Amino acid sequence: MKLKDNFNRTHDYVRISLIDKCNLNCIYCNPSNTLAKLESNKSILSYEELYRLIKILVRDLEVKKIRFTGGEPLIRKDVMKFFEMISSLKKQYDFEIGITTNGTHLLDKLDGLKKFGVERLNISLDTLNKTKFIAITGKDFFDDTVTAIQKAISLGFKSVKVNAVVIKNINDDELNNFVEYFKSYPITVRFIEYMPFTGNQWDGSKFLSWREMKYQIEEKFSLTEIESDGKVSKDFFVDEEQLKIGFISSISDHFCDSCNRLRITATGQIKNCLFSNPSEVSLKSLLSDESISDETIVEFIQKSLQSKWMKHPSADELAVLNQNNMMSIGG
Ligand code: SF4
């Protein structure tokens, strides 16, 4: 049975946060001076609970894509054992596995991830300048991240996307550097509009819309629009090169009418929209209790989806919302 909301949107894509901690302090996500309270004192879903949840999603709810996020998912202890567990489900059910990662702990795991059936990698990289990388993230992992991206490309994953959050006067002068650097690679570079989250000091003066970004790139490269992958980004080919670029316009031009995503936080709460408050009840208590049937869990997930709104509130309203910490949501 399909997972549908009140607006008849089928949800076949679930993003699951494996951990609500990150090893970087990116200024737009997890600034070190953040006031947001992370729920790291609550226990997170165990690998066994996650396995049960994923099995229910792909077997009973026709979910076709699972993406693991964080925090930074690859810093969770024994994470490769978890991917090995999940790989057994891949043999029985038709779904894809992706990971969104900051790339800092990716390099030595790439071979294993490929072996365990991970097909899609989204890797964050906001700058091509090492000094600026340290200023944005608070840490010196530039070389590890860039090397991991290069190896991921050479291993031939089904999809490699490099994600850059674009902030005025921070990295908006680098758009064409990204295009130049990656233009001969068969990957996608996605430029993401800066979004308001609790503690990230979002304000309109730091915001650059996707149209402004595109205009800047077109001063140097010609772009040909192509059908977008998943409707989340507006995608283009660059000149005659292999590179695709995409713009994620969550703020200036939302794509909520085609939303197919559901999020599960690391502690097992359902967030039916990136910007909504999570459900008060955690799936954890259900998943850990063998006397609770899979049908009951299916009903719980379906019910949680019924309160989903049609589209997210305006950027100014979002900027004052509490409980919207990017790191505990999983992006
Ligand atoms: S803002 Fe919410 S409703 Fe809109 S696309 Fe994102 S998750 Fe879906």
Side-chain angles (χ1 to χ4, degrees):
M1 119 200 27
K2 285 192 164 50
L3 194 51
K4 288 203 178 203
D5 71 0
N6 281 337
F7 303 97
N8 212 27
R9 294 176 294 197
T10 297
H11 287 61
D12 57 5
Y13 175 14
V14 178
R15 298 170 63 99
I16 300 175
S17 170
L18 289 186
I19 186 166
D20 59 2
K21 296 191 184 83
C22 187
N23 58 325
L24 299 184
N25 290 109
C26 296
I27 51 176
Y28 55 82
C29 175
N30 179 35
S32 50
N33 61 350
T34 184
L35 297 173
K37 296 261 183 300
L38 292 181
E39 301 194 44
S40 45
N41 54 336
K42 285 195 191 170
S43 52
I44 58 179
L45 292 175
S46 68
Y47 288 146
E48 288 70 28
E49 289 157 357
L50 284 163
Y51 181 90
R52 184 177 182 196
L53 171 64
I54 293 161
K55 189 169 181 181
I56 290 169
L57 292 171
V58 298
R59 183 193 61 197
D60 302 330
L61 289 167
E62 298 185 44
V63 166
K64 296 289 177 224
K65 194 159 143 190
I66 305 269
R67 174 169 294 280
F68 297 103
T69 66
E72 170 46 44
L74 299 183
I75 62 170
R76 183 159 170 181
K77 195 159 176 265
D78 294 332
V79 73
M80 296 308 286
K81 283 194 191 141
F82 169 67
F83 283 110
E84 187 171 10
M85 278 166 75
I86 298 302
S87 69
S88 68
L89 289 174
K90 282 272 289 181
K91 298 190 180 101
Q92 301 170 64
Y93 304 102
D94 171 28
F95 69 106
E96 289 190 327
I97 303 175
I99 301 176
T100 294
T101 170
N102 61 30
T104 59
H105 285 58
L106 179 60
L107 187 60
D108 63 340
K109 299 187 177 63
L110 279 165
D111 292 303
L113 293 172
K114 186 115 201 288
K115 183 167 117 202
F116 297 142
V118 174
E119 289 141 305
R120 295 177 175 270
L121 294 174
N122 289 2
I123 307 166
S124 299
L125 181 70
D126 300 313
T127 176
L128 292 167
N129 176 310
K130 186 172 175 150
T131 309
K132 210 190 272 188
F133 182 96
I134 296 169
I136 292 174
T137 67
K139 303 280 167 61
D140 184 3
F141 279 111
F142 179 77
D143 295 333
D144 306 73
T145 307
V146 171
T147 312
I149 291 172
Q150 281 163 346
K151 180 167 176 189
I153 296 169
S154 70
L155 285 177
F157 280 84
K158 183 170 182 180
S159 163
V160 174
K161 291 178 178 158
V162 171
N163 286 339
V165 174
V166 179
I167 307 177
K168 229 179 227 175
N169 299 326
I170 301 275
N171 60 351
D172 60 328
D173 57 339
E174 287 196 61
L175 302 184
N176 285 328
N177 298 356
F178 271 95
V179 178
E180 195 63 56
Y181 185 85
F182 288 110
K183 70 183 181 191
S184 59
Y185 295 120
I187 65 163
T188 305
V189 173
R190 299 196 305 180
F191 298 113
I192 302 173
E193 288 182 352
Y194 179 34
M195 288 185 266
F197 285 96
T198 306
N200 78 350
Q201 277 106 38
W202 186 92
D203 80 62
S205 68
K206 299 179 191 162
F207 176 78
L208 196 73
S209 74
W210 81 274
R211 285 188 179 78
E212 294 170 280
M213 299 180 208
K214 177 169 175 271
Y215 183 72
Q216 210 186 104
I217 293 170
E218 281 179 322
E219 287 181 350
K220 192 155 177 213
F221 300 95
S222 64
L223 302 180
T224 309
E225 188 156 13
I226 47 176
E227 179 131 357
S228 73
D229 174 12
K231 301 204 175 84
V232 169
S233 71
K234 302 172 199 321
D235 291 339
F236 299 82
F237 268 125
V238 179
D239 291 340
E240 305 293 306
E241 305 286 351
Q242 297 210 61
L243 178 69
K244 281 191 235 167
I245 62 165
F247 300 98
I248 302 194
S249 58
S250 315
I251 300 300
S252 74
D253 188 10
H254 70 77
F255 34 82
C256 301
D257 52 353
S258 59
C259 183
N260 65 344
R261 304 163 165 221
L262 185 68
R263 290 174 163 81
I264 315 278
T265 68
T267 54
Q269 288 161 302
I270 296 179
K271 252 182 104 78
N272 60 27
C273 168
L274 176 57
F275 296 104
S276 66
N277 288 331
S279 56
E280 280 171 17
V281 183
S282 168
L283 277 167
K284 188 167 175 60
S285 54
L286 307 181
L287 291 164
S288 60
D289 186 343
E290 284 179 16
S291 70
I292 289 178
S293 69
D294 289 354
E295 288 74 28
T296 303
I297 295 171
V298 163
E299 280 165 29
F300 180 80
I301 295 171
Q302 282 175 320
K303 191 159 168 261
S304 303
L305 198 59
Q306 301 321 305
S307 59
K308 182 162 178 157
W309 47 35
M310 179 59 209
K311 63 180 174 64
H312 65 71
S314 71
D316 291 333
E317 286 171 85
L318 291 172
V320 294
L321 281 184
N322 289 321
Q323 287 211 48
N324 245 338
N325 183 280
M326 177 74 123
M327 198 169 61
S328 61
I329 302 166

